[in-house]
Amino acid sequence: RDSSHVFLESDGRPIDVEFGVWDGPNNTPTKMKVYSEDGRLRPINILTANPQRGRGNTLSVKNTGPMEFPINAGVNSVGGGMSAGGMSAGGQRGGLAGSESAYGGLAGNEGAYMDERDLNGFTHPSSPSMKRGQTVQGESLRTFPLDYSVEAVQVTITTDGNPMNAKVELWGTSSHIKQVAEVYNDNGLTRPFAAIIDVPGGSNTIAVYNTGPIVDPFRVVVEPVARMDGWDGKEDQSVGGHLAPW
């Protein structure tokens, strides 16, 4: 498979997960640690690249939360013919690999809490954005205020071949952090990071930290993929200006 789409959700409880791509013995080129305070309202929705090198890869999903907080996880191939079913953290195999979902078939009616009607108007991160985006130097932060009408954005992070060390946060009002993803890729050119972040309701900001050294900058693109019903096409200048895509 060229890439894999990972979808994680819960019944409204927090999600706290470590995710990785295993590529051969003792080689983990992609590592992520993700958190969401509400896995129903803001599920985890990530695309990870798997460059074909004549061998398969293994994707691991570890629920690091308490036993009382199970999750549903699904992995679906993008650009390949294989599809993997989902499994809940409690060990019950679910039907997360449906074929008609707007998220690429990960949210089937069995075992998942979101069906196609819930996902109407949303898109899955089918590929990293081709826009150049904004450069974020090592050990620095860039923020992207979101217009009130935006209900979901796609965040894409790439490098020129250097390692990627990034931390992506969804901020609410004040110091409220709704969702966090800590990302490591050994090569941000062949393994870019792409994710859909749901941002329903109120004022929100996407914050992207480059936690790597100053010699490893990366580029980030934040672009809307869903707007609220009844949006008049005008941006709200009171929440930090227009939403690009940057």
Side-chain angles (χ1 to χ4, degrees), residues 11-95:
D11 60 357
R13 297 171 179 174
I15 292 177
D16 202 349
V17 167
E18 292 181 357
F19 164 79
V21 176
W22 300 347
D23 185 19
N26 302 317
N27 182 24
T28 308
T30 298
K31 299 177 183 178
M32 299 185 197
K33 185 175 182 180
V34 295
Y35 166 81
S36 178
E37 68 175 4
D38 187 332
R40 176 68 182 269
L41 190 62
R42 284 177 288 275
I44 306 298
N45 188 22
I46 295 174
L47 180 77
T48 177
N50 304 319
Q52 295 183 358
R53 299 173 181 169
R55 62 178 184 268
N57 294 323
T58 299
L59 282 78
S60 67
V61 177
K62 180 181 180 181
N63 186 351
T64 57
M67 182 177 62
E68 294 81 9
F69 292 168
I71 63 171
N72 284 328
V75 177
N76 193 48
S77 63
V78 178
M82 297 179 62
S83 176
M87 181 175 290
S88 78
Q92 297 293 325
R93 191 164 186 82

Side-chain angles (χ1 to χ4, degrees), residues 110-125:
E110 298 180 18
Y113 295 94
M114 300 178 72
D115 59 22
E116 186 177 2
R117 290 171 297 179
D118 297 319
L119 299 172
N120 185 34
F122 290 78
T123 59
H124 66 86

Side-chain angles (χ1 to χ4, degrees), residues 128-137 140-144 153-160 164-169 188 192-195 197 206-210 217-223 244-246:
S129 175
M130 294 295 102
K131 297 180 175 64
R132 182 166 180 82
Q134 298 279 337
T135 298
V136 183
Q137 300 293 340
S140 63
L141 163 69
R142 187 173 291 273
T143 59
F144 302 88
V153 295
Q154 176 167 322
V155 178
T156 302
I157 303 176
T158 59
T159 72
D160 291 328
M164 177 197 303
N165 291 275
K167 186 177 182 180
V168 181
E169 294 182 345
F193 169 81
I197 299 179
I206 298 294
V208 181
Y209 299 85
N210 186 340
F218 58 63
R219 289 184 299 276
V220 57
V221 178
V222 178
E223 51 191 341
W246 285 274

Side-chain angles (χ1 to χ4, degrees), residues 133-220:
Q134 298 279 337
T135 298
V136 183
Q137 300 293 340
E139 302 179 353
S140 63
L141 163 69
R142 187 173 291 273
T143 59
F144 302 88
L146 306 181
D147 184 76
Y148 76 98
S149 65
V150 178
E151 293 190 337
V153 295
Q154 176 167 322
V155 178
T156 302
I157 303 176
T158 59
T159 72
D160 291 328
N162 295 337
M164 177 197 303
N165 291 275
K167 186 177 182 180
V168 181
E169 294 182 345
L170 172 61
W171 294 353
T173 56
S174 186
S175 59
H176 183 199
I177 299 177
K178 302 177 181 179
Q179 194 165 343
V180 181
E182 298 179 19
V183 184
Y184 166 78
N185 280 327
D186 65 353
N187 187 326
L189 180 63
T190 59
R191 298 180 183 272
F193 169 81
I196 295 290
I197 299 179
D198 296 316
V199 291
S203 175
N204 296 283
T205 299
I206 298 294
V208 181
Y209 299 85
N210 186 340
T211 57
I214 196 169
V215 295
D216 289 338
F218 58 63
R219 289 184 299 276
V220 57

